[in-house]
């Protein structure tokens, strides 16, 4: 019912029933399959899952057979775009990207410590000020690969997906 459900990160406290209400019922999926002669495939897209401390454990626990598409953007472009979005949404007090990046580690340290210590903690600053942290793809993917088989992942670049969507997904 919406693209970014954010269940495995910010909305996990709402519970599994809340999450499942975002998807079609089995009867609706079966009807689609009967009408179209192919299975109904559904999913969601919450970009912050890849970097969230608890998302891998939560997803692996609830959906251990999920197929996961990871779309990685060129890291510097991703970080700068994130900064620009935070500025537009008036969540970023620094005027320059350089200043925000210089302050990132110090600003995030208390929030990251709380997040690692308490899986129920819902941190707002981690989401909006994590320009470099969210671009540390190898470190983030290692947490996922420790819990789910590598074969369940399809890793691609956002640039390839934008330029050649069908070929990239194929």
């Amino acid at each position: 019912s919406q693209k970014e459900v954010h269940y495995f990160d910010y909305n996990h406290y709402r519970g599994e029933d809340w999450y499942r209400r975002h998807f079609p019922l089995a009867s609706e999926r079966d009807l689609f399959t009967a009408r179209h002669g192919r299975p109904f495939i559904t999913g969601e897209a919450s970009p912050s899952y890849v970097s969230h401390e608890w998302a891998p454990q939560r997803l692996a626990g609830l959906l251990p057979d999920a197929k996961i598409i990871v779309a990685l953007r060129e890291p510097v472009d991703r970080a700068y775009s994130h900064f620009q979005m935070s500025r537009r949404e008036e969540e970023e007090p620094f005027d320059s990207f350089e200043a925000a990046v210089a302050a990132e580690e110090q600003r995030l340290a208390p929030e990251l410590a709380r997040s690692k210590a308490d899986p129920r903690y819902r941190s707002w600053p981690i989401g909006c000020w994590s320009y470099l942290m969210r671009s540390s793809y190898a470190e983030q993917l290692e947490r996922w690969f420790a819990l789910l088989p590598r074969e369940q992942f399809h890793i691609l670049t956002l640039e390839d997906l934008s330029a050649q969507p069908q070929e990239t997904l194929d």
Side-chain angles (χ1 to χ4, degrees):
S1 62
Q2 71 186 66
K3 179 181 171 189
E4 295 185 23
V5 178
H6 286 285
Y7 173 67
F8 295 105
D9 53 14
Y10 307 120
N11 288 313
H12 192 258
Y13 71 97
R14 296 177 187 270
E16 181 181 343
D17 289 341
W18 177 88
Y19 179 64
R20 291 194 182 274
R21 283 195 299 267
H22 288 84
F23 300 93
L25 298 171
S27 59
E28 295 168 319
R29 295 190 309 267
D30 292 343
L31 181 60
F32 176 92
T33 300
R35 285 185 179 162
H36 299 280
R38 62 180 173 86
F40 184 93
I41 298 173
T42 189
E44 59 139 321
S46 295
S48 54
Y49 286 170
V50 73
S51 63
H52 191 273
E53 181 71 29
W54 296 100
Q57 294 93 325
R58 292 170 178 171
L59 190 140
L62 183 63
L63 302 169
D65 298 321
K67 303 294 184 199
I68 302 168
I69 298 171
V70 181
L72 303 177
R73 185 173 180 187
E74 194 285 322
V76 175
D77 289 346
R78 194 223 61 77
Y80 188 67
S81 175
H82 185 176
F83 168 76
Q84 293 293 345
M85 181 183 73
S86 293
R87 291 287 299 152
R88 275 191 314 277
E89 295 177 358
E90 299 181 356
E91 295 172 343
E92 176 55 72
F94 287 106
D95 291 330
S96 77
F97 180 59
E98 293 79 9
V101 166
E104 180 173 335
E105 188 174 339
Q106 182 178 359
R107 288 199 291 184
L108 293 184
E111 299 297 322
L112 289 171
R114 279 186 226 129
S115 178
K116 286 177 190 265
D118 183 359
R120 295 163 299 163
Y121 183 63
R122 297 174 55 226
S123 177
W124 166 79
I126 290 175
C128 68
W129 297 336
S130 52
Y131 311 118
L132 299 182
M133 184 194 88
R134 285 197 184 184
S135 290
S136 301
Y137 302 137
E139 176 183 307
Q140 295 161 13
L141 290 172
E142 284 176 11
R143 288 199 314 266
W144 288 89
F145 295 158
L147 297 168
L148 295 166
R150 173 66 179 83
E151 296 75 33
Q152 287 179 222
F153 292 82
H154 181 59
I155 300 173
L156 50 91
T157 68
L158 186 60
E159 293 80 6
D160 287 345
L161 183 61
S162 296
Q164 302 173 331
Q166 192 60 56
E167 293 87 347
T168 302
L169 290 174
D170 287 348

